[in-house]
PDB file of all heavy atoms in Angstrom:
ATOM      1  N   LYS A   1     -17.505  -4.305 -14.544  1.00 57.00           N
ATOM      2  CA  LYS A   1     -16.702  -3.089 -14.639  1.00 57.00           C
ATOM      3  C   LYS A   1     -16.071  -2.790 -13.275  1.00 57.00           C
ATOM      4  O   LYS A   1     -16.721  -2.892 -12.246  1.00 57.00           O
ATOM      5  CB  LYS A   1     -17.577  -1.934 -15.079  1.00 57.00           C
ATOM      6  CG  LYS A   1     -16.779  -0.783 -15.624  1.00 57.00           C
ATOM      7  CD  LYS A   1     -17.675   0.102 -16.466  1.00 57.00           C
ATOM      8  CE  LYS A   1     -16.874   1.133 -17.175  1.00 57.00           C
ATOM      9  NZ  LYS A   1     -16.584   0.834 -18.519  1.00 57.00           N
ATOM     10  N   GLY A   2     -14.833  -2.414 -13.275  1.00 54.00           N
ATOM     11  CA  GLY A   2     -14.127  -2.106 -12.029  1.00 54.00           C
ATOM     12  C   GLY A   2     -13.412  -3.310 -11.451  1.00 54.00           C
ATOM     13  O   GLY A   2     -12.627  -3.186 -10.531  1.00 54.00           O
ATOM     14  N   MET A   3     -13.691  -4.494 -11.959  1.00 54.00           N
ATOM     15  CA  MET A   3     -13.003  -5.697 -11.506  1.00 54.00           C
ATOM     16  C   MET A   3     -11.919  -6.002 -12.531  1.00 54.00           C
ATOM     17  O   MET A   3     -12.136  -5.893 -13.717  1.00 54.00           O
ATOM     18  CB  MET A   3     -13.965  -6.882 -11.417  1.00 54.00           C
ATOM     19  CG  MET A   3     -15.127  -6.648 -10.465  1.00 54.00           C
ATOM     20  SD  MET A   3     -14.607  -6.494  -8.773  1.00 54.00           S
ATOM     21  CE  MET A   3     -14.491  -8.193  -8.329  1.00 54.00           C
ATOM     22  N   GLY A   4     -10.798  -6.429 -12.082  1.00 54.00           N
ATOM     23  CA  GLY A   4      -9.706  -6.701 -13.021  1.00 54.00           C
ATOM     24  C   GLY A   4      -9.026  -5.398 -13.373  1.00 54.00           C
ATOM     25  O   GLY A   4      -8.108  -4.971 -12.722  1.00 54.00           O
ATOM     26  N   GLY A   5      -9.483  -4.740 -14.371  1.00 58.00           N
ATOM     27  CA  GLY A   5      -9.030  -3.399 -14.703  1.00 58.00           C
ATOM     28  C   GLY A   5      -7.684  -3.317 -15.368  1.00 58.00           C
ATOM     29  O   GLY A   5      -7.234  -2.226 -15.699  1.00 58.00           O
ATOM     30  N   GLY A   6      -7.010  -4.397 -15.555  1.00 68.00           N
ATOM     31  CA  GLY A   6      -5.744  -4.360 -16.263  1.00 68.00           C
ATOM     32  C   GLY A   6      -4.617  -3.798 -15.433  1.00 68.00           C
ATOM     33  O   GLY A   6      -4.668  -3.720 -14.216  1.00 68.00           O
ATOM     34  N   PRO A   7      -3.548  -3.370 -16.131  1.00 74.00           N
ATOM     35  CA  PRO A   7      -2.318  -2.928 -15.459  1.00 74.00           C
ATOM     36  C   PRO A   7      -2.509  -1.696 -14.582  1.00 74.00           C
ATOM     37  O   PRO A   7      -1.855  -1.571 -13.560  1.00 74.00           O
ATOM     38  CB  PRO A   7      -1.352  -2.629 -16.605  1.00 74.00           C
ATOM     39  CG  PRO A   7      -2.001  -3.076 -17.854  1.00 74.00           C
ATOM     40  CD  PRO A   7      -3.426  -3.399 -17.572  1.00 74.00           C
ATOM     41  N   GLN A   8      -3.396  -0.796 -14.976  1.00 80.00           N
ATOM     42  CA  GLN A   8      -3.585   0.415 -14.156  1.00 80.00           C
ATOM     43  C   GLN A   8      -4.121   0.061 -12.779  1.00 80.00           C
ATOM     44  O   GLN A   8      -3.665   0.595 -11.778  1.00 80.00           O
ATOM     45  CB  GLN A   8      -4.530   1.392 -14.852  1.00 80.00           C
ATOM     46  CG  GLN A   8      -3.916   2.056 -16.060  1.00 80.00           C
ATOM     47  CD  GLN A   8      -4.898   2.960 -16.762  1.00 80.00           C
ATOM     48  OE1 GLN A   8      -6.094   2.724 -16.739  1.00 80.00           O
ATOM     49  NE2 GLN A   8      -4.372   3.993 -17.391  1.00 80.00           N
ATOM     50  N   ASN A   9      -5.101  -0.837 -12.745  1.00 86.00           N
ATOM     51  CA  ASN A   9      -5.673  -1.247 -11.470  1.00 86.00           C
ATOM     52  C   ASN A   9      -4.631  -2.002 -10.641  1.00 86.00           C
ATOM     53  O   ASN A   9      -4.546  -1.817  -9.434  1.00 86.00           O
ATOM     54  CB  ASN A   9      -6.917  -2.100 -11.699  1.00 86.00           C
ATOM     55  CG  ASN A   9      -7.753  -2.226 -10.440  1.00 86.00           C
ATOM     56  OD1 ASN A   9      -7.650  -1.410  -9.534  1.00 86.00           O
ATOM     57  ND2 ASN A   9      -8.579  -3.237 -10.389  1.00 86.00           N
ATOM     58  N   MET A  10      -3.835  -2.832 -11.276  1.00 86.00           N
ATOM     59  CA  MET A  10      -2.793  -3.589 -10.573  1.00 86.00           C
ATOM     60  C   MET A  10      -1.750  -2.628 -10.002  1.00 86.00           C
ATOM     61  O   MET A  10      -1.316  -2.783  -8.861  1.00 86.00           O
ATOM     62  CB  MET A  10      -2.131  -4.602 -11.518  1.00 86.00           C
ATOM     63  CG  MET A  10      -1.078  -5.440 -10.827  1.00 86.00           C
ATOM     64  SD  MET A  10      -1.706  -6.380  -9.437  1.00 86.00           S
ATOM     65  CE  MET A  10      -2.265  -7.828 -10.268  1.00 86.00           C
ATOM     66  N   ASN A  11      -1.356  -1.627 -10.770  1.00 87.00           N
ATOM     67  CA  ASN A  11      -0.387  -0.636 -10.282  1.00 87.00           C
ATOM     68  C   ASN A  11      -0.944   0.126  -9.086  1.00 87.00           C
ATOM     69  O   ASN A  11      -0.225   0.408  -8.130  1.00 87.00           O
ATOM     70  CB  ASN A  11       0.006   0.328 -11.401  1.00 87.00           C
ATOM     71  CG  ASN A  11       0.902  -0.316 -12.428  1.00 87.00           C
ATOM     72  OD1 ASN A  11       1.553  -1.319 -12.160  1.00 87.00           O
ATOM     73  ND2 ASN A  11       0.929   0.243 -13.637  1.00 87.00           N
ATOM     74  N   ALA A  12      -2.227   0.466  -9.137  1.00 87.00           N
ATOM     75  CA  ALA A  12      -2.852   1.172  -8.022  1.00 87.00           C
ATOM     76  C   ALA A  12      -2.858   0.293  -6.770  1.00 87.00           C
ATOM     77  O   ALA A  12      -2.592   0.780  -5.671  1.00 87.00           O
ATOM     78  CB  ALA A  12      -4.270   1.596  -8.384  1.00 87.00           C
ATOM     79  N   MET A  13      -3.140  -0.983  -6.952  1.00 88.00           N
ATOM     80  CA  MET A  13      -3.132  -1.902  -5.807  1.00 88.00           C
ATOM     81  C   MET A  13      -1.730  -2.045  -5.230  1.00 88.00           C
ATOM     82  O   MET A  13      -1.553  -2.082  -4.013  1.00 88.00           O
ATOM     83  CB  MET A  13      -3.670  -3.271  -6.222  1.00 88.00           C
ATOM     84  CG  MET A  13      -5.166  -3.291  -6.431  1.00 88.00           C
ATOM     85  SD  MET A  13      -5.823  -4.860  -7.066  1.00 88.00           S
ATOM     86  CE  MET A  13      -4.989  -6.081  -6.114  1.00 88.00           C
ATOM     87  N   ILE A  14      -0.733  -2.109  -6.094  1.00 89.00           N
ATOM     88  CA  ILE A  14       0.658  -2.219  -5.634  1.00 89.00           C
ATOM     89  C   ILE A  14       1.053  -0.959  -4.868  1.00 89.00           C
ATOM     90  O   ILE A  14       1.674  -1.041  -3.804  1.00 89.00           O
ATOM     91  CB  ILE A  14       1.604  -2.496  -6.819  1.00 89.00           C
ATOM     92  CG1 ILE A  14       1.370  -3.914  -7.341  1.00 89.00           C
ATOM     93  CG2 ILE A  14       3.064  -2.298  -6.414  1.00 89.00           C
ATOM     94  CD1 ILE A  14       2.088  -4.231  -8.637  1.00 89.00           C
ATOM     95  N   ARG A  15       0.690   0.212  -5.400  1.00 90.00           N
ATOM     96  CA  ARG A  15       0.998   1.473  -4.704  1.00 90.00           C
ATOM     97  C   ARG A  15       0.320   1.519  -3.333  1.00 90.00           C
ATOM     98  O   ARG A  15       0.906   1.950  -2.344  1.00 90.00           O
ATOM     99  CB  ARG A  15       0.586   2.677  -5.551  1.00 90.00           C
ATOM    100  CG  ARG A  15       1.574   3.015  -6.655  1.00 90.00           C
ATOM    101  CD  ARG A  15       1.304   4.392  -7.263  1.00 90.00           C
ATOM    102  NE  ARG A  15      -0.041   4.528  -7.807  1.00 90.00           N
ATOM    103  CZ  ARG A  15      -0.431   4.127  -9.018  1.00 90.00           C
ATOM    104  NH1 ARG A  15       0.447   3.561  -9.827  1.00 90.00           N
ATOM    105  NH2 ARG A  15      -1.672   4.295  -9.429  1.00 90.00           N
ATOM    106  N   GLN A  16      -0.930   1.071  -3.298  1.00 88.00           N
ATOM    107  CA  GLN A  16      -1.670   1.065  -2.037  1.00 88.00           C
ATOM    108  C   GLN A  16      -1.003   0.119  -1.030  1.00 88.00           C
ATOM    109  O   GLN A  16      -0.863   0.460   0.143  1.00 88.00           O
ATOM    110  CB  GLN A  16      -3.119   0.647  -2.287  1.00 88.00           C
ATOM    111  CG  GLN A  16      -3.989   0.746  -1.058  1.00 88.00           C
ATOM    112  CD  GLN A  16      -5.440   0.378  -1.367  1.00 88.00           C
ATOM    113  OE1 GLN A  16      -5.773  -0.097  -2.440  1.00 88.00           O
ATOM    114  NE2 GLN A  16      -6.296   0.600  -0.392  1.00 88.00           N
ATOM    115  N   ALA A  17      -0.581  -1.041  -1.496  1.00 87.00           N
ATOM    116  CA  ALA A  17       0.099  -1.995  -0.606  1.00 87.00           C
ATOM    117  C   ALA A  17       1.430  -1.432  -0.113  1.00 87.00           C
ATOM    118  O   ALA A  17       1.779  -1.581   1.060  1.00 87.00           O
ATOM    119  CB  ALA A  17       0.318  -3.322  -1.332  1.00 87.00           C
ATOM    120  N   GLN A  18       2.172  -0.760  -0.991  1.00 91.00           N
ATOM    121  CA  GLN A  18       3.446  -0.156  -0.595  1.00 91.00           C
ATOM    122  C   GLN A  18       3.221   0.949   0.430  1.00 91.00           C
ATOM    123  O   GLN A  18       3.971   1.071   1.401  1.00 91.00           O
ATOM    124  CB  GLN A  18       4.181   0.388  -1.815  1.00 91.00           C
ATOM    125  CG  GLN A  18       4.752  -0.700  -2.698  1.00 91.00           C
ATOM    126  CD  GLN A  18       5.293  -0.173  -4.025  1.00 91.00           C
ATOM    127  OE1 GLN A  18       4.869   0.866  -4.530  1.00 91.00           O
ATOM    128  NE2 GLN A  18       6.221  -0.921  -4.608  1.00 91.00           N
ATOM    129  N   LYS A  19       2.171   1.745   0.243  1.00 90.00           N
ATOM    130  CA  LYS A  19       1.855   2.826   1.180  1.00 90.00           C
ATOM    131  C   LYS A  19       1.510   2.221   2.545  1.00 90.00           C
ATOM    132  O   LYS A  19       1.977   2.707   3.580  1.00 90.00           O
ATOM    133  CB  LYS A  19       0.673   3.656   0.644  1.00 90.00           C
ATOM    134  CG  LYS A  19       0.095   4.651   1.624  1.00 90.00           C
ATOM    135  CD  LYS A  19       0.945   5.888   1.736  1.00 90.00           C
ATOM    136  CE  LYS A  19       0.238   6.988   2.492  1.00 90.00           C
ATOM    137  NZ  LYS A  19       0.615   7.111   3.877  1.00 90.00           N
ATOM    138  N   MET A  20       0.707   1.156   2.537  1.00 89.00           N
ATOM    139  CA  MET A  20       0.348   0.515   3.797  1.00 89.00           C
ATOM    140  C   MET A  20       1.590  -0.049   4.471  1.00 89.00           C
ATOM    141  O   MET A  20       1.753   0.055   5.689  1.00 89.00           O
ATOM    142  CB  MET A  20      -0.687  -0.588   3.584  1.00 89.00           C
ATOM    143  CG  MET A  20      -1.155  -1.208   4.897  1.00 89.00           C
ATOM    144  SD  MET A  20      -2.412  -2.474   4.703  1.00 89.00           S
ATOM    145  CE  MET A  20      -3.845  -1.451   4.407  1.00 89.00           C
ATOM    146  N   GLN A  21       2.489  -0.627   3.704  1.00 91.00           N
ATOM    147  CA  GLN A  21       3.723  -1.180   4.256  1.00 91.00           C
ATOM    148  C   GLN A  21       4.562  -0.066   4.893  1.00 91.00           C
ATOM    149  O   GLN A  21       5.113  -0.242   5.985  1.00 91.00           O
ATOM    150  CB  GLN A  21       4.497  -1.886   3.151  1.00 91.00           C
ATOM    151  CG  GLN A  21       5.539  -2.840   3.649  1.00 91.00           C
ATOM    152  CD  GLN A  21       6.088  -3.710   2.529  1.00 91.00           C
ATOM    153  OE1 GLN A  21       5.972  -3.389   1.350  1.00 91.00           O
ATOM    154  NE2 GLN A  21       6.689  -4.823   2.895  1.00 91.00           N
ATOM    155  N   GLU A  22       4.645   1.087   4.241  1.00 92.00           N
ATOM    156  CA  GLU A  22       5.373   2.230   4.804  1.00 92.00           C
ATOM    157  C   GLU A  22       4.704   2.718   6.082  1.00 92.00           C
ATOM    158  O   GLU A  22       5.383   3.016   7.072  1.00 92.00           O
ATOM    159  CB  GLU A  22       5.445   3.362   3.780  1.00 92.00           C
ATOM    160  CG  GLU A  22       6.342   3.070   2.598  1.00 92.00           C
ATOM    161  CD  GLU A  22       6.187   4.094   1.470  1.00 92.00           C
ATOM    162  OE1 GLU A  22       5.469   5.110   1.649  1.00 92.00           O
ATOM    163  OE2 GLU A  22       6.780   3.868   0.396  1.00 92.00           O
ATOM    164  N   ASP A  23       3.370   2.802   6.069  1.00 91.00           N
ATOM    165  CA  ASP A  23       2.640   3.243   7.257  1.00 91.00           C
ATOM    166  C   ASP A  23       2.855   2.278   8.418  1.00 91.00           C
ATOM    167  O   ASP A  23       3.019   2.696   9.562  1.00 91.00           O
ATOM    168  CB  ASP A  23       1.139   3.368   6.959  1.00 91.00           C
ATOM    169  CG  ASP A  23       0.819   4.519   6.013  1.00 91.00           C
ATOM    170  OD1 ASP A  23       1.705   5.377   5.777  1.00 91.00           O
ATOM    171  OD2 ASP A  23      -0.319   4.555   5.497  1.00 91.00           O
ATOM    172  N   ILE A  24       2.861   0.986   8.127  1.00 92.00           N
ATOM    173  CA  ILE A  24       3.083  -0.019   9.165  1.00 92.00           C
ATOM    174  C   ILE A  24       4.491   0.122   9.748  1.00 92.00           C
ATOM    175  O   ILE A  24       4.686   0.044  10.956  1.00 92.00           O
ATOM    176  CB  ILE A  24       2.837  -1.436   8.619  1.00 92.00           C
ATOM    177  CG1 ILE A  24       1.337  -1.655   8.408  1.00 92.00           C
ATOM    178  CG2 ILE A  24       3.420  -2.504   9.541  1.00 92.00           C
ATOM    179  CD1 ILE A  24       0.983  -2.934   7.689  1.00 92.00           C
ATOM    180  N   ALA A  25       5.475   0.350   8.898  1.00 93.00           N
ATOM    181  CA  ALA A  25       6.856   0.512   9.372  1.00 93.00           C
ATOM    182  C   ALA A  25       6.975   1.738  10.282  1.00 93.00           C
ATOM    183  O   ALA A  25       7.625   1.681  11.334  1.00 93.00           O
ATOM    184  CB  ALA A  25       7.818   0.622   8.192  1.00 93.00           C
ATOM    185  N   LEU A  26       6.318   2.839   9.893  1.00 94.00           N
ATOM    186  CA  LEU A  26       6.353   4.048  10.733  1.00 94.00           C
ATOM    187  C   LEU A  26       5.645   3.810  12.066  1.00 94.00           C
ATOM    188  O   LEU A  26       6.135   4.233  13.115  1.00 94.00           O
ATOM    189  CB  LEU A  26       5.709   5.227   9.996  1.00 94.00           C
ATOM    190  CG  LEU A  26       6.506   5.812   8.845  1.00 94.00           C
ATOM    191  CD1 LEU A  26       5.677   6.849   8.083  1.00 94.00           C
ATOM    192  CD2 LEU A  26       7.798   6.439   9.354  1.00 94.00           C
ATOM    193  N   LEU A  27       4.500   3.145  12.014  1.00 94.00           N
ATOM    194  CA  LEU A  27       3.775   2.852  13.247  1.00 94.00           C
ATOM    195  C   LEU A  27       4.596   1.944  14.143  1.00 94.00           C
ATOM    196  O   LEU A  27       4.691   2.166  15.351  1.00 94.00           O
ATOM    197  CB  LEU A  27       2.412   2.219  12.936  1.00 94.00           C
ATOM    198  CG  LEU A  27       1.594   1.799  14.158  1.00 94.00           C
ATOM    199  CD1 LEU A  27       1.317   2.989  15.080  1.00 94.00           C
ATOM    200  CD2 LEU A  27       0.293   1.142  13.723  1.00 94.00           C
ATOM    201  N   GLN A  28       5.230   0.916  13.569  1.00 93.00           N
ATOM    202  CA  GLN A  28       6.040   0.005  14.370  1.00 93.00           C
ATOM    203  C   GLN A  28       7.190   0.743  15.044  1.00 93.00           C
ATOM    204  O   GLN A  28       7.504   0.495  16.208  1.00 93.00           O
ATOM    205  CB  GLN A  28       6.576  -1.157  13.521  1.00 93.00           C
ATOM    206  CG  GLN A  28       7.231  -2.234  14.344  1.00 93.00           C
ATOM    207  CD  GLN A  28       6.258  -2.884  15.315  1.00 93.00           C
ATOM    208  OE1 GLN A  28       5.242  -3.410  14.913  1.00 93.00           O
ATOM    209  NE2 GLN A  28       6.567  -2.842  16.597  1.00 93.00           N
ATOM    210  N   GLU A  29       7.775   1.680  14.330  1.00 95.00           N
ATOM    211  CA  GLU A  29       8.854   2.498  14.907  1.00 95.00           C
ATOM    212  C   GLU A  29       8.332   3.299  16.095  1.00 95.00           C
ATOM    213  O   GLU A  29       8.975   3.376  17.142  1.00 95.00           O
ATOM    214  CB  GLU A  29       9.403   3.427  13.817  1.00 95.00           C
ATOM    215  CG  GLU A  29      10.696   4.105  14.159  1.00 95.00           C
ATOM    216  CD  GLU A  29      11.227   4.906  12.985  1.00 95.00           C
ATOM    217  OE1 GLU A  29      11.374   4.333  11.884  1.00 95.00           O
ATOM    218  OE2 GLU A  29      11.468   6.118  13.177  1.00 95.00           O
ATOM    219  N   ASP A  30       7.149   3.897  15.937  1.00 95.00           N
ATOM    220  CA  ASP A  30       6.524   4.660  17.025  1.00 95.00           C
ATOM    221  C   ASP A  30       6.200   3.749  18.208  1.00 95.00           C
ATOM    222  O   ASP A  30       6.481   4.088  19.357  1.00 95.00           O
ATOM    223  CB  ASP A  30       5.254   5.349  16.517  1.00 95.00           C
ATOM    224  CG  ASP A  30       4.489   6.037  17.635  1.00 95.00           C
ATOM    225  OD1 ASP A  30       5.089   6.859  18.365  1.00 95.00           O
ATOM    226  OD2 ASP A  30       3.283   5.745  17.789  1.00 95.00           O
ATOM    227  N   LEU A  31       5.615   2.589  17.922  1.00 95.00           N
ATOM    228  CA  LEU A  31       5.254   1.660  18.992  1.00 95.00           C
ATOM    229  C   LEU A  31       6.486   1.176  19.745  1.00 95.00           C
ATOM    230  O   LEU A  31       6.466   1.047  20.975  1.00 95.00           O
ATOM    231  CB  LEU A  31       4.481   0.466  18.422  1.00 95.00           C
ATOM    232  CG  LEU A  31       3.084   0.764  17.895  1.00 95.00           C
ATOM    233  CD1 LEU A  31       2.526  -0.451  17.161  1.00 95.00           C
ATOM    234  CD2 LEU A  31       2.146   1.205  18.999  1.00 95.00           C
ATOM    235  N   ASP A  32       7.574   0.906  19.028  1.00 95.00           N
ATOM    236  CA  ASP A  32       8.811   0.444  19.668  1.00 95.00           C
ATOM    237  C   ASP A  32       9.386   1.502  20.612  1.00 95.00           C
ATOM    238  O   ASP A  32      10.000   1.166  21.623  1.00 95.00           O
ATOM    239  CB  ASP A  32       9.858   0.074  18.618  1.00 95.00           C
ATOM    240  CG  ASP A  32       9.536  -1.215  17.887  1.00 95.00           C
ATOM    241  OD1 ASP A  32       8.613  -1.945  18.316  1.00 95.00           O
ATOM    242  OD2 ASP A  32      10.203  -1.489  16.865  1.00 95.00           O
TER     243      ASP A  32
END
């Protein structure tokens, strides 16, 4: 249970990855 999880879990992982990508872009802008 909790592994795999179907489309909902995949969507959550995609959202989390997108959020991290946005955070990295903001941090890189600050660092630059």
Side-chain angles (χ1 to χ4, degrees):
K1 199 161 188 99
M3 301 294 277
Q8 289 177 330
N9 196 21
M10 182 59 87
N11 287 339
M13 286 175 44
I14 290 171
R15 281 193 302 277
Q16 186 178 9
Q18 288 171 334
K19 170 78 169 99
M20 184 178 283
Q21 198 169 20
E22 290 169 7
D23 291 347
I24 288 172
L26 288 172
L27 177 59
Q28 189 62 58
E29 193 175 306
D30 174 54
L31 291 171
D32 288 349

